[in-house]
Amino acid sequence: QVGFQAGNGGEQALAAIPRLKPDLVVLDVMMPGMDGPTTMGKMRADPALADIPVIFMTAKAMPQEITRFTELGALGVIPKPFDPMRLTHQVFALWEG
């Protein structure tokens, strides 16, 4: 099962993740309220969520940004705009390493 949480920001994602129990979370870097990196940081601090892999989506897909996000612990980054026809392939390619 792959879980995607669409919503209004990191707080909503953090509230939904324990209930949804996803195998993977895709977060936008820029979200209202709590951004994606902060949301992932809070996930890593919670033992129940710490091992859930995270992939970021961002319009700022510069090499140094991608490096920063992967150093924070993300599996990878999908640049925006993305091709909806390739999104599933991109997610699984990052997830499977």
Side-chain angles (χ1 to χ4, degrees), residues 2-72:
V2 178
F4 291 89
Q5 173 61 37
N8 294 323
E11 293 91 355
Q12 185 178 7
L14 287 173
I17 290 169
R19 179 177 43 84
L20 295 172
K21 298 180 176 123
D23 295 322
L24 172 76
V25 173
V26 178
L27 296 171
D28 199 332
V29 169
M30 300 296 291
M31 298 188 295
M34 185 186 310
D35 67 10
T38 302
T39 302
M40 186 179 74
K42 290 192 179 280
M43 288 175 63
R44 297 298 177 251
D46 182 336
L49 309 179
D51 294 330
I52 299 173
V54 172
I55 294 172
F56 284 122
M57 298 183 91
T58 184
K60 297 181 180 183
M62 303 297 292
Q64 65 271 20
E65 290 293 311
I66 293 170
T67 299
R68 182 172 78 89
F69 298 138
T70 56
E71 286 175 351
L72 288 173

